[in-house]
Amino acid sequence: LKERYYEACRSLLQARLSAAAEGSGAATVLAEHPLATFQFDSAHEVARKREFERLYERSAEEAAEEARLRAAYATRLRADEAQLVERVRELRLRLAAAEDELAAVREVRGGLKRAGSCG
């Protein structure tokens, strides 16, 4: 039924588009209308309805189990995020220490070059 509806809408828009003067604002508006570009996918619609019915018809135990699994997954995600944040903090500290060492080495080398060129 929906497929026929969208097809009829597209046919009406095509008729209006051909009746509208080429290059006019009305033709542009009709050509850009969402129904003119929308392609109804009946297979996707059937799969979507089937999935909705499956979710709607599940038992209270199944819904509770899914909620429990989601909560456990969320807890794992938060723990992983905390570990990642800690690892990033440690890497930033190491990077800052390495940059400080590099600056010190450059300072020593710069002092050696100046001392060598004076003599």
Side-chain angles (χ1 to χ4, degrees), residues 21-96:
E22 292 287 326
S24 70
T28 305
V29 169
L30 288 174
E32 294 174 356
H33 193 280
L35 288 175
T37 58
F38 178 72
Q39 292 295 318
F40 182 75
D41 185 359
S42 60
H44 175 75
E45 184 70 12
V46 168
R48 184 191 67 78
K49 284 183 180 181
R50 198 175 301 133
E51 180 65 15
F52 173 77
E53 289 171 1
R54 186 189 68 79
L55 289 173
Y56 186 74
E57 291 174 356
R58 63 190 168 166
S59 68
E61 293 84 24
E62 290 172 329
E65 175 68 11
E66 183 179 340
R68 187 190 64 73
L69 289 172
R70 286 179 189 235
Y73 185 68
T75 301
R76 263 197 334 264
L77 281 176
R78 282 191 289 277
D80 290 347
E81 181 185 23
Q83 288 176 352
L84 183 61
V85 166
E86 179 61 25
R87 186 157 185 213
V88 166
R89 188 188 66 76
E90 288 174 7
L91 289 173
R92 285 184 177 158
L93 288 174
R94 285 183 184 178
L95 182 61

Side-chain angles (χ1 to χ4, degrees), residues 96-108:
E99 287 174 345
D100 291 344
E101 277 186 49
L102 183 60
V105 167
R106 286 183 177 156
E107 189 175 306
V108 168

